Amino acid sequence: SLHESQFSLLYQSVSKSATSGEIHFIRMTMTHFLFSYPVMVLLTVMVTLGLLKLKCWLRCVYLVSRLPGPPVTSLVGNTTILTTTTETIKTFLSLSKLYGPLVRLWVCLVPFVVVNNPSDIKAIMANANQTHKNFLYTLLDKFFGHGILTSSGAKWKHDRKLIEPFFHRMTLNSFITTFAESSELVVDGLQDKSEVKITDLINICVRGILHHTMMGIPLSDHETKLRSPFVTGHPFIISRFQRPLYLIENLYRFSSLSNNETQQQTSFKEFAREILDKRRRSENNLEWCLLDHLIRVANTTGEFTDEDIVDQICTFMLSGQDTIAGAVTFTLYNLAKHPETQQKVVEELETVFNKHSFISLRSLNEMVYLQQCINESLRLFPSIPLISKKLVEDVQLENCTLPAGLNILILPIAVHRLEEYHPDPENFNPDRFSRGNVKALHPYSFIPFSAGPRNCIGYKLAYMEIKTIIATILRHYVISVPSDHELELSYKVVLRAKRMVMTFKPRL
């Protein structure tokens, strides 16, 4: 055979009995084997992986094709849902009412399933293996960085384990003074003003707290905070959905939009590196911050590089702004709309501060009714109205099996308004979260900070900060909403109010 003759000539060459022509033939044959065999193996692997992905995609398509859902627009599918910030929220709220517990959506050629039933959500979110984010979070990489929010699998587990000790309650206790001082600045900013666009003041307050607790920048260091790009940063994902072709990375990277996003990312990272370098050089870091914790991890374990630290700082700086500011603003709005509830909170605060002269961990824990009001506001207006995942293994639900590889959407803003779990869902009723009632609440029917292994790592800090800001404001002012004010919601990764105006009257 040909192979036998080739190896026979190879043997002759080795024994120095081959002619020059035979040696040339052997060289050509060896070159053929060296290069064609790996190429064939590579091609085989690529084809196999391609077929497996195709099989996975077809399984997802088969399931999605049998589910109800909104009309599809040609190749862009249902991407128009995310193109208008106001209509997006209305669509989120209508999907379960119109189509039931499992809803089909298409993002171009990518099938999605919206899961609305809390028991089904538990089957997905409580599973320790289902920690993967899907391509929607990849679109946010340039905004948040490759930190704990957008990472998946082993990297996410590794990073979370290293970061989690920072968010222990006793560590967070040291930040309460910062929360209180920044809240007092809001009170000062409200002096001699009656009608205020409260969102701006709350955003300034939260940004000051973030710069201090995450990066160690003092509240008094206005110059550094004014230079901070985190003050004006914004995600580009909605703009990409408005131009569906920009969802294709190889097209998007050549656009001016991508160039602007890259410049923004560069400014985030350069500022974070600058503060990192200063923090490392300083010998008088008396107040602990997340950056110090990450530096310690890097120094003691070698687990974090400087690039890792910068990514994590960018993630926490950007993910903690609008989420907490939104929770504060919507809670104030609900208390302003319901004066009798506001009065109950004030009475509770009077009782708490008769026992404690200042805000502390103990006094915050005693603000039980205020906590109920915050939870009820988060039920109606969750800061993150959309959570997205990609299944890494099949998930068995009561009526069907969700295949591995399927993209999942969970809409807290819709789940929180399911009448079978939250009677009279549009009504603001903090007693839903009283100690007696909360025990009967399905744990996955209220998920403002996500749930399961990938719940928000900073939720304790968030509650402490929200409570401090609201308690400080209510001790000084009676708040109300102008009679002609209409709340209009919008979606830009987080839930926002387009215009939030309130009236503040000094409390006697």
Side-chain angles (χ1 to χ4, degrees):
S1 68
L2 176 61
H3 288 284
E4 288 174 344
S5 64
Q6 289 169 343
F7 284 111
S8 175
L9 287 171
L10 180 61
Y11 174 80
Q12 292 176 34
S13 176
V14 172
S15 62
K16 298 182 180 180
S17 61
T19 66
S20 61
E22 289 170 336
I23 292 173
H24 176 72
F25 177 66
I26 290 170
R27 287 175 177 171
M28 295 296 293
T29 302
M30 292 178 68
T31 302
H32 171 75
F33 269 85
L34 285 171
F35 288 97
S36 65
Y37 182 70
V39 169
M40 291 302 295
V41 171
L42 180 60
L43 287 174
T44 302
V45 171
M46 290 175 64
V47 169
T48 302
L49 290 175
L51 290 174
L52 289 174
K53 284 190 175 183
L54 178 61
K55 178 185 176 183
C56 176
W57 183 77
L58 289 173
R59 288 186 72 204
C60 296
V61 170
Y62 177 70
L63 170 71
V64 166
S65 65
R66 293 182 296 146
L67 296 176
V72 174
T73 306
S74 64
L75 290 178
V76 302
N78 302 110
T79 56
T80 52
I81 286 176
L82 292 174
T83 59
T84 54
T85 58
T86 301
E87 292 302 316
T88 294
I89 297 300
K90 294 178 182 178
T91 302
F92 286 172
L93 292 173
S94 68
L95 287 175
S96 62
K97 295 178 181 178
L98 293 175
Y99 303 107
L102 295 175
V103 183
R104 173 261 305 147
L105 288 179
W106 285 89
V107 176
C108 296
L109 298 178
V110 181
F112 279 75
V113 170
V114 181
V115 180
N116 293 308
N117 183 280
S119 296
D120 294 343
I121 293 171
K122 180 180 179 181
I124 297 167
M125 300 185 82
N127 188 334
N129 295 324
Q130 304 291 2
T131 59
H132 282 62
K133 299 294 183 81
N134 63 19
F135 85 97
L136 294 182
Y137 286 87
T138 304
L139 300 179
L140 291 167
D141 274 351
K142 280 189 178 181
F143 182 65
F144 289 117
H146 302 287
I148 195 173
L149 179 65
T150 57
S151 59
S152 294
K155 175 174 170 51
W156 167 79
K157 290 180 181 178
H158 168 270
D159 291 357
R160 174 144 181 159
K161 183 179 179 181
L162 294 175
I163 295 171
E164 205 153 28
F166 176 79
F167 289 95
H168 189 277
R169 189 175 292 272
M170 293 313 297
T171 303
L172 301 181
N173 185 39
S174 63
F175 298 140
I176 294 177
T177 300
T178 300
F179 301 160
E181 289 176 359
S182 192
S183 301
E184 288 292 344
L185 295 177
V186 177
V187 171
D188 293 343
L190 291 170
Q191 287 184 3
D192 302 321
K193 296 178 183 177
S194 55
E195 200 168 284
V196 180
K197 188 178 178 182
I198 189 61
T199 308
D200 295 338
L201 280 174
I202 299 299
N203 282 337
I204 292 170
C205 172
V206 171
R207 284 198 294 262
I209 292 171
L210 271 173
H211 279 81
H212 184 64
T213 57
M214 299 295 112
M215 305 181 79
I217 300 172
L219 292 177
S220 59
D221 189 352
H222 303 296
E223 181 181 347
T224 302
K225 285 187 291 184
L226 283 173
R227 291 192 299 106
S228 172
F230 296 111
V231 172
T232 56
H234 65 282
F236 285 69
I237 186 171
I238 300 299
S239 299
R240 294 183 71 171
F241 270 89
Q242 290 170 343
R243 305 168 179 84
L245 285 177
Y246 282 176
L247 295 176
I248 304 171
E249 189 62 34
N250 287 333
L251 293 178
Y252 176 66
R253 68 177 59 174
F254 296 107
S255 68
S256 59
L257 199 67
S258 176
N259 184 52
N260 292 339
E261 187 174 27
T262 300
Q263 290 177 2
Q264 177 178 259
Q265 181 189 44
T266 300
S267 67
F268 292 155
K269 293 195 170 187
E270 287 179 349
F271 184 80
R273 286 192 191 97
E274 175 193 333
I275 303 303
L276 170 61
D277 291 341
K278 284 183 179 179
R279 206 72 185 171
R280 272 211 175 108
R281 292 194 303 267
S282 176
E283 297 180 357
N284 299 311
N285 295 332
L286 300 179
E287 295 181 309
W288 194 248
C289 67
L290 177 62
L291 193 52
D292 295 327
H293 175 77
L294 297 177
I295 292 171
R296 174 185 285 181
V297 171
N299 291 341
T300 57
T301 69
E303 297 284 351
F304 277 145
T305 65
D306 281 5
E307 189 64 26
D308 293 330
I309 293 174
V310 166
D311 275 331
Q312 298 297 351
I313 286 297
C314 289
T315 293
F316 281 100
M317 286 298 298
L318 293 164
S319 62
Q321 288 193 38
D322 291 336
T323 48
I324 293 177
V328 171
T329 303
F330 282 118
T331 303
L332 288 173
Y333 169 80
N334 281 314
L335 293 174
K337 288 276 290 185
H338 299 86
E340 68 290 346
T341 304
Q342 181 182 163
Q343 183 57 34
K344 286 184 68 174
V345 173
V346 171
E347 290 171 2
E348 178 183 70
L349 293 176
E350 289 174 352
T351 301
V352 168
F353 286 104
N354 281 336
K355 294 167 59 179
H356 310 282
S357 57
F358 55 90
I359 293 180
S360 63
L361 184 59
R362 181 175 295 180
S363 63
L364 288 175
N365 288 337
E366 293 180 13
M367 299 176 191
V368 177
Y369 191 67
L370 175 55
Q371 174 90 34
Q372 292 175 210
C373 294
I374 293 168
N375 282 339
E376 178 66 348
S377 292
L378 287 170
R379 182 188 69 83
L380 288 167
F381 307 110
S383 297
I384 304 296
L386 180 152
I387 301 169
S388 186
K389 288 182 174 288
K390 185 174 184 178
L391 302 182
V392 296
E393 60 186 25
D394 289 2
V395 174
Q396 183 62 51
L397 304 183
E398 184 176 347
N399 297 317
C400 72
T401 299
L402 302 179
L406 182 65
N407 290 282
I408 299 295
L409 291 181
I410 298 166
L411 307 175
I413 194 169
V415 175
H416 291 179
R417 296 170 190 246
L418 294 173
E419 193 156 6
E420 56 267 43
Y421 297 94
H422 305 282
D424 195 12
E426 300 300 327
N427 182 41
F428 178 75
N429 178 15
D431 288 335
R432 296 179 203 274
F433 293 94
S434 65
R435 286 174 179 169
N437 291 333
V438 79
K439 291 178 181 178
L441 191 65
H442 192 296
Y444 286 78
S445 67
F446 178 64
I447 48 175
F449 295 101
S450 191
R454 286 211 70 147
N455 72 327
C456 174
I457 193 172
Y459 79 93
K460 292 177 183 176
L461 180 147
Y463 272 126
M464 292 166 66
E465 186 175 342
I466 295 165
K467 277 186 176 182
T468 302
I469 297 171
I470 293 173
T472 303
I473 292 173
L474 289 182
R475 292 183 73 193
H476 291 83
Y477 292 98
V478 177
I479 56 176
S480 58
V481 178
S483 57
D484 61 345
H485 181 270
E486 290 187 12
L487 182 63
E488 187 175 6
L489 302 177
S490 68
Y491 174 70
K492 292 182 179 179
V493 180
V494 300
L495 186 67
R496 300 182 181 185
K498 280 198 168 183
R499 180 177 171 270
M500 184 72 78
V501 177
M502 296 183 197
T503 301
F504 291 82
K505 180 181 177 182
R507 193 174 292 278
L508 301 177

